[in-house]
């Protein structure tokens, strides 16, 4: 035993790691390093928090061995559909199909399609699966049950408006990638940001300027304005999920969130749902000539007034603790200095957007459709390297929108063709006539119903796909002027986007920033939406009369 102790005591020192071993450790560090820029946006743990351990020899050899057994490397189980929402969504369709009495004037095919459509809408609200996946299941059910032939079920995938919406996502990516949207917003902060109220107006006006060429409210929120607001708030020591959030951040986030709906309503190309509304109106025979200009003329006065009122209204009912922000212009100037002069890609983006907007405005006169104008703009961005094809492929929201938009639009069009929409509108018209309502009164009732029912929806575009055609048909059946009906419903679609924390894509972005409390979102969302609706209702009615819409 004594000899054993002596041997241990006099054992040679442990060998120094070989250079190759150190290189492996360095390699692990460099593999982490390129992704360190994602930490802020994705909340990933920083690489420095990882222990830099050597790669085990056995792990390095794994690719050369047989596939591991399930026990040694189990595959993650798929989450699948949520059971309760799945059962409820299917039950809605089955109840309509087999329990509700079918009216004599509605065909068996139309009634069956209505049941599938309502089941699809229920799933979009309850969310048993992601939106695109559930819409595909609805489309599959329509084809598998021979309710619709394959060509009719997929006909909307060639719809020009849907492709215009898809391309708009790529334009938005260009604004974010080049930094042009960030630069424009920072200029306005520099000009107007010496006070909290001025700072809010600067952000609001800059979004209205960007909106017609960046047709995604969600992209504007997440890619441009929320990062700027967070930077300004943190510099004022206003932190998310902290009592200090009310110093500055809560007010700026709430104001931008509530004002965004007016920016989206101001221009036809400022939001995807606007384009969808006019396409659905066209399918019902409501044609709006020179749509970009007609939309802007009708929306301009009420939207501009609402944009001016919203920041001041929230300044009074949801005031920030910090009233003055003297450092904001200096911070903006410093940021612009760091950004340097306008880059070549930004100039290309500016020129392309001017071309696209010009063609959207004057395209009808020269025979260039809106989607062709968008295609030309995207082609320029691809040719000059502002965007590459990987940018387009990685824009998952665009392809997801293509899938479920096409399903909803296709089903809605077939419901119209099969007479369901006209049957529903005639029933509602008879009900309204039984109350002896004039068309202005019927107009107010229908618009209020369309607005308030959005509490059941988690998407503006989903709401449009589900209800716009039906409500437009009800308006027309009640005697409301056709163009007025189509535009008013479309404007309304933008105004209810800030009702709740789930009512739109931008709602999720702004609420997720951590500066807003849930009760405040519901309370001030309703109050602001009510004020904006009154402005649009009163000012809009006078303005639309002046324009000859009724």
């Amino acid at each position: 035993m004594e000899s054993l102790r002596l041997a241990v005591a006099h054992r040679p020192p442990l060998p120094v790691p070989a250079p190759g071993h150190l290189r492996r450790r360095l390699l692990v560090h460099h593999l982490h390093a390129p992704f360190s820029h994602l930490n802020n946006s994705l909340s990933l743990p920083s690489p420095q928090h990882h222990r830099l351990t050597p790669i085990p020899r056995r792990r390095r050899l794994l690719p050369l061995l047989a596939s591991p057994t399930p026990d040694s490397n189990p595959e993650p189980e798929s989450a699948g559909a949520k059971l309760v929402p799945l059962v409820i969504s299917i039950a809605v369709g089955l109840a309509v199909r087999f329990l509700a009495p079918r009216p004599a004037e509605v065909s068996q095919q139309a009634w069956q399609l209505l049941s599938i459509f309502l089941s699809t809408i229920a799933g979009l609200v309850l969310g048993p699966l992601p939106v695109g996946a559930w819409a595909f299941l609805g489309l599959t059910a329509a084809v598998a049950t021979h309710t619709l032939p394959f060509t009719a079920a997929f006909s909307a995938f060639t719809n020009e408006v849907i492709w215009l919406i898809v391309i708009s996502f790529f334009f938005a990516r260009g604004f974010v990638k080049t930094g042009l949207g960030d630069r424009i917003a920072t200029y306005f902060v520099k000009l107007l940001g010496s006070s909290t109220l001025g700072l809010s107006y600067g952000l609001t006006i800059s979004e209205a300027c960007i909106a017609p060429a960046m047709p995604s409210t969600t992209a504007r929120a997440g890619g441009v304005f929320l990062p700027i607001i967070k930077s300004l708030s943190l510099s004022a020591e206003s932190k998310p999920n902290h009592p200090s959030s009310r110093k500055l951040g809560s007010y700026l986030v709430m104001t931008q969130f509530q004002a965004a709906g007016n920016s989206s309503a101001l221009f036809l190309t400022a939001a995807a749902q606007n384009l969808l509304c006019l396409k659905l109106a066209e399918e019902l025979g409501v044609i709006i000539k020179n749509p970009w200009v007609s939309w802007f003329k009708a929306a301009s006065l009420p939207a501009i007034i609402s944009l001016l009122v919203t920041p001041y209204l929230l300044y009074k009912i949801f005031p920030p603790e910090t009233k003055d922000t003297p450092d904001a212009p200096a911070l903006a100037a410093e940021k612009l200095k760091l950004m340097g002069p306008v880059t070549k890609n930004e100039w290309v983006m500016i020129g392309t957007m001017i071309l696209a907007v010009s063609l959207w405005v004057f395209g009808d006169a020269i025979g260039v459709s809106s989607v062709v104008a968008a295609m030309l703009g995207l082609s320029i961005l691809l040719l000059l390297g502002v965007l590459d094809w990987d940018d387009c492929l990685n824009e998952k929201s665009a392809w997801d929108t293509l899938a479920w938009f096409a399903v909803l639009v296709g089903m809605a069009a077939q419901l119209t063709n099969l007479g369901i929409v006209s049957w529903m509108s005639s029933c509602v018209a008879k009900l309204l006539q039984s109350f002896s309502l004039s068309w202005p009164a019927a107009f107010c009732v229908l618009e209020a119903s369309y607005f308030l029912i959005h509490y059941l929806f988690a998407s503006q575009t989903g709401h449009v796909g589900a209800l716009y055609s039906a409500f437009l048909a009800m308006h027309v059946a009640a005697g409301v002027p056709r163009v007025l009906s189509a535009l008013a419903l479309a404007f309304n679609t933008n105004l209810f986007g800030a009702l709740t924390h789930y009512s739109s894509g931008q709602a999720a972005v702004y609420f997720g920033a951590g500066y807003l409390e849930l009760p405040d979102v519901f309370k001030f969302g309703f109050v602001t939406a009510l004020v904006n609706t009154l402005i649009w209702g009163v000012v809009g009615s006078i303005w639309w009369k002046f324009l000859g819409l009724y």
Side-chain angles (χ1 to χ4, degrees):
M1 181 63 68
E2 183 64 25
S3 61
L4 178 61
R5 283 197 296 268
L6 291 173
V8 171
H10 294 85
R11 70 182 186 272
L14 293 175
V16 177
H21 176 73
L22 294 177
R23 282 196 297 269
R24 287 198 301 272
R25 292 168 61 94
L26 189 59
L27 177 62
V28 174
H29 173 72
H30 285 302
L31 285 174
H32 283 295
F35 299 98
S36 61
H37 67 284
L38 296 175
N39 294 340
N40 293 334
S41 60
L42 298 179
S43 301
L44 294 176
S46 180
Q48 60 264 30
H49 294 159
H50 289 282
R51 185 178 302 221
L52 298 179
T53 55
I55 302 174
R57 183 178 300 274
R58 185 172 300 171
R59 182 173 296 172
R60 289 190 293 114
L61 292 176
L62 269 178
L64 304 178
L65 301 176
S67 299
T69 62
D71 292 335
S72 63
N73 189 17
E75 291 290 332
E77 294 184 3
S78 175
K82 300 174 185 176
L83 184 59
V84 174
L86 174 67
V87 171
I88 296 175
S89 301
I90 294 176
V92 168
L94 293 177
V96 172
R97 174 65 179 83
F98 296 106
L99 299 180
R102 176 172 61 88
E105 58 269 32
V106 176
S107 67
Q108 183 71 34
Q109 179 190 10
W111 196 248
Q112 187 159 297
L113 180 59
L114 177 63
S115 67
I116 296 173
F117 181 74
L118 292 177
S119 183
T120 303
I121 295 303
L124 296 182
V125 174
L126 299 175
L129 284 172
V131 172
W134 185 253
F136 182 78
L137 263 63
L139 189 66
T140 302
V143 175
T145 58
H146 303 289
T147 306
L148 291 176
F150 185 88
T151 53
F154 282 84
S155 61
F157 281 86
T158 61
N159 188 296
E160 289 186 2
V161 171
I162 293 176
W163 279 101
L164 178 57
I165 292 168
V166 170
I167 295 173
S168 75
F169 280 94
F170 303 149
F171 285 162
R173 191 177 185 92
F175 266 90
V176 175
K177 182 179 179 180
T178 62
L180 178 60
D182 193 10
R183 185 184 295 274
I184 293 171
T186 306
Y187 272 124
F188 277 96
V189 171
K190 179 184 176 182
L191 291 173
L192 302 173
S194 59
S195 67
T196 302
L197 184 60
L199 189 59
S200 177
Y201 274 111
L203 293 170
T204 299
I205 294 170
S206 62
E207 177 162 13
C209 292
I210 294 172
M214 192 175 183
S216 171
T217 316
T218 306
R220 296 197 298 269
V224 177
F225 291 98
L226 184 58
I228 293 175
I229 290 172
K230 290 179 71 173
S231 176
L232 291 168
S233 301
L234 291 173
S235 68
E237 298 183 351
S238 179
K239 303 175 184 178
N241 301 308
H242 189 269
S244 63
S245 63
R246 292 299 296 268
K247 291 179 67 176
L248 182 65
S250 296
Y251 168 74
L252 291 181
V253 171
M254 181 69 82
T255 304
Q256 201 67 21
F257 176 30
Q258 297 298 330
N262 292 296
S263 299
S264 299
L266 182 56
F267 303 99
L268 174 61
T269 51
Q273 63 268 13
N274 298 345
L275 303 163
L276 182 60
C277 286
L278 292 200
K279 179 60 181 178
L280 294 175
E282 183 182 326
E283 292 178 354
L284 289 176
V286 182
I287 309 297
I288 299 176
K289 296 180 180 179
N290 199 357
W292 204 97
V293 175
S294 298
W295 179 292
F296 177 73
K297 286 169 60 178
S300 57
L301 186 59
I304 291 172
I305 292 176
S306 291
L307 283 170
L308 294 175
V309 167
T310 299
Y312 184 76
L313 171 69
L314 288 168
Y315 191 78
K316 292 298 183 181
I317 64 175
F318 189 63
E321 295 175 2
T322 300
K323 306 296 184 182
D324 297 313
T325 54
D327 295 333
L331 290 172
E334 182 65 24
K335 181 177 179 179
L336 289 171
K337 183 178 178 181
L338 291 174
M339 294 174 74
V342 179
T343 64
K344 184 201 76 162
N345 283 350
E346 288 179 274
W347 282 118
V348 172
M349 196 74 204
I350 292 170
T352 303
M353 290 299 96
I354 291 174
L355 173 63
V357 173
S358 299
L359 290 175
W360 286 334
V361 174
F362 304 109
D364 285 353
I366 60 177
V368 178
S369 66
S370 297
V371 69
V372 172
M375 292 170 67
L376 290 172
L378 178 59
S379 298
I380 292 171
L381 297 180
L382 291 171
L383 284 170
L384 298 181
V386 176
L387 292 175
D388 55 45
W389 191 239
D390 281 342
D391 291 322
C392 298
L393 293 177
N394 291 331
E395 193 63 40
K396 295 181 180 179
S397 56
W399 303 113
D400 183 54
T401 300
L402 171 64
W404 68 273
F405 255 35
V407 172
L408 287 181
V409 171
M411 284 190 180
Q414 294 301 319
L415 286 172
T416 301
N417 294 338
L418 294 172
I420 284 289
V421 174
S422 60
W423 167 74
M424 292 177 62
S425 62
S426 64
C427 292
V428 173
K430 291 177 182 177
L431 178 63
L432 294 175
Q433 288 172 3
S434 67
F435 291 102
S436 301
L437 294 179
S438 61
W439 76 255
F443 174 77
C444 293
V445 170
L446 290 171
E447 289 290 330
S449 301
Y450 185 75
F451 183 92
L452 293 174
I453 205 172
H454 191 67
Y455 278 105
L456 302 178
F457 282 87
S459 164
Q460 290 166 287
T461 47
H463 189 145
V464 171
L467 297 177
Y468 181 87
S469 295
F471 269 83
L472 178 56
M474 295 175 199
H475 277 69
V476 174
V480 184
R482 299 165 72 85
V483 173
L484 174 63
S485 302
L487 290 176
L489 283 171
F491 297 150
N492 214 349
T493 300
N494 292 284
L495 298 181
F496 57 48
L499 274 177
T500 67
H501 63 298
Y502 58 83
S503 57
S504 59
Q506 67 269 21
V509 171
Y510 284 125
F511 180 72
Y515 281 99
L516 299 179
E517 298 291 336
L518 194 57
D520 290 336
V521 173
F522 276 85
K523 176 182 177 181
F524 296 107
F526 178 79
V527 171
T528 309
L530 181 62
V531 171
N532 283 329
T533 302
L534 289 174
I535 292 172
W536 280 80
V538 176
V539 176
S541 297
I542 299 171
W543 180 238
W544 299 331
K545 180 67 174 178
F546 174 78
L547 293 177
L549 294 182
Y550 67 95

